[in-house]
Amino acid sequence: MQQPTTADRSPSVVADGDAAFRAARIGLVTLSLASFGALTTEMLPVGLLPQIADSLGIAEQHAGLLVGVYALMVAVLAVPLTILTRRLPRKPLLLATLFGYAISNALAATASGFAVLALARGLGGIAHALFFSISIGYAARLAPLSHTGKAMALMSVGGSAGFVLGVPLGTVIGTVWGWRAAFAILTAGVLAIAAVAWRVLPDVSVPPTEQRRVRRDPRPLIVVILACGLAFLGHYTAYTYISSMLQSAGLRQDWIGPVLLVFGVVGLIGLRIGAAHLDRRPLGSARMIPALLATGLLVVAAGYPALVPVLVGVTLWTGAFGSVPSLFQALAVRAGVASADVAGAWVNSSANVGIAGGSVVGGYVLSHAGIGWLPVVAAALLLAVGILALLAPAAFRGA
């Protein structure tokens, strides 16, 4: 039976949906924990770029490609791998991706040079190509359709915590004991998360009818994945090089980890605030969030290289970004164009096209225009997302 939309629900349906969501929380929290390991693995090099570059004797913009090669693997493989594995049991497949992260991090910790390190990141990207496609579909099946946004937000807490705790702590560990130690400790952490998921994560099945569920008009999903890609492209054009930006604005290297921790906490607060509106006001969220992101980046651009306005601008920017993944995950699933896994795969792919493109665009801007232009270019790309939400509102209202 098709579940009611958020626009047309009786009080009894709302109560049933709330009860079903509460019952799904154990599984969603477990997925959130797994997302913590996944996002920490993906983003760990962001806080370690200066150390990696110095250790391997390469330029920082070349070290930034470690983020890009990872994201490129996800962008290329997310949809085909999701389709190829759509009939496999979900839980074993999710656990396999976590073991893939562990292998990637272990290889990175022992890499003898940039080529091996890039290979390790590529292997992690393959695991990531499946992980978020599976986890988005997993969360969508655990929770009722009327609570899709809340389910994605709860699952995304772990990803945001990867920024709040994982990346900053990895940066601190890298500063004190070296960047290899950060990857080694993360390997152990991901294996521990896999053990927890194996023990407590409920299994789910993919209904055969869901595999055949296709809406005739694919335009809503196309618009959503385009907006998602633009949002991540804009964000990572600047965020990939945030450590270098903060250092060039006068922040000492040993303060980068703690400052990134603060920004991560602000992102979690932004996610908490935004989660309340993702189901009720998806269109308003799709317009307001990019505007806040662009505003924060423009404050950074206007204040650079003075440290205080840069910190103020980054606080607004990273706080607004907290809800971005949940927003596009929920919109893609509720568009009803494909199964939850395939919809998640398209979001996963488009986001990582943006991440990979952001590392390349940011590196180009860094080399040819200077670091002060990074937030300007990023803000322009994010404003395009808000314009898209103004021009095609139907795609952002959800099912």
Side-chain angles (χ1 to χ4, degrees):
M1 179 180 295
Q2 185 178 3
Q3 300 183 53
T5 69
T6 54
D8 184 18
R9 292 178 294 161
S10 67
S12 62
V13 170
V14 173
D16 290 345
D18 290 341
F21 181 77
R22 286 193 295 271
R25 276 182 176 163
I26 293 177
L28 292 171
V29 169
T30 306
L31 290 173
S32 183
L33 183 62
S35 296
F36 171 81
L39 260 293
T40 303
T41 296
E42 181 177 22
M43 290 292 112
L44 185 61
V46 169
L48 300 173
L49 285 186
Q51 295 97 309
I52 293 173
D54 289 344
S55 172
L56 300 180
I58 59 177
E60 286 187 19
Q61 56 264 37
H62 295 154
L65 295 178
L66 293 172
V67 177
V69 69
Y70 186 107
L72 181 62
M73 298 300 292
V74 181
V76 172
L77 296 176
V79 175
L81 284 180
T82 299
I83 293 173
L84 286 172
T85 60
R86 66 187 183 276
R87 291 186 175 87
L88 296 180
R90 299 291 92 186
K91 184 173 178 177
L93 194 57
L94 185 76
L95 292 173
T97 64
L98 293 175
F99 283 114
Y101 287 129
I103 293 170
S104 168
N105 290 323
L107 184 58
T110 58
S112 58
F114 181 77
V116 178
L117 185 55
L119 174 62
R121 296 293 293 167
L123 292 175
I126 295 172
H128 205 85
L130 264 178
F131 173 80
F132 271 100
S133 305
I134 298 168
S135 61
I136 291 170
Y138 224 118
R141 295 186 187 97
L142 287 173
L145 182 63
S146 59
H147 288 60
T148 298
K150 290 181 68 175
M152 298 306 165
L154 179 54
M155 187 189 71
S156 295
V157 168
S160 297
F163 290 108
V164 174
L165 297 175
V167 174
L169 286 178
T171 303
V172 172
I173 292 169
T175 301
V176 177
W177 292 318
W179 61 269
R180 296 179 188 276
F183 280 102
I185 292 171
L186 181 56
T187 302
V190 170
L191 289 174
I193 291 169
V196 172
W198 173 76
R199 184 73 178 84
V200 304
L201 183 66
D203 205 353
V204 296
S205 59
V206 183
T209 54
E210 185 178 324
Q211 296 295 347
R212 297 191 297 267
R213 180 168 60 92
V214 178
R215 176 180 285 179
R216 290 183 178 180
D217 184 4
R219 286 177 294 179
L221 181 60
I222 293 173
V223 173
V224 167
I225 62 176
L226 175 59
C228 179
L230 278 173
F232 277 82
L233 176 64
H235 178 68
Y236 282 97
T237 290
Y239 192 80
T240 302
Y241 302 95
I242 192 169
S243 296
S244 302
M245 188 184 305
L246 292 173
Q247 279 188 266
S248 67
L251 188 68
R252 285 169 31 191
Q253 181 172 324
D254 56 349
W255 274 97
I256 290 177
V259 168
L260 289 178
L261 178 62
V262 173
F263 292 151
V265 171
V266 172
L268 271 180
I269 295 171
L271 173 60
R272 177 66 182 85
I273 295 171
H277 303 282
L278 296 181
D279 288 315
R280 292 182 295 170
R281 302 180 184 90
L283 176 59
S285 298
R287 290 173 174 173
M288 179 62 70
I289 291 172
L292 291 173
L293 286 162
T295 300
L297 284 159
L298 290 175
V299 170
V300 173
Y304 183 84
L307 182 58
V308 171
V310 167
L311 293 175
V312 170
V314 175
T315 300
L316 176 58
W317 158 32
T318 54
F321 190 76
S323 296
V324 168
S326 304
L327 172 66
F328 290 111
Q329 289 164 6
L331 286 170
V333 169
R334 292 174 58 190
V337 174
S339 69
D341 297 272
V342 175
W346 279 111
V347 170
N348 195 14
S349 179
S350 63
N352 280 275
V353 168
I355 294 171
S359 70
V360 174
V361 172
Y364 181 86
V365 173
L366 188 62
S367 299
H368 293 82
I371 202 165
W373 280 94
L374 286 175
V376 177
V377 175
L381 291 167
L382 286 159
L383 285 173
V385 179
I387 293 171
L388 193 58
L390 289 171
L391 296 177
F396 296 92
R397 292 194 175 103

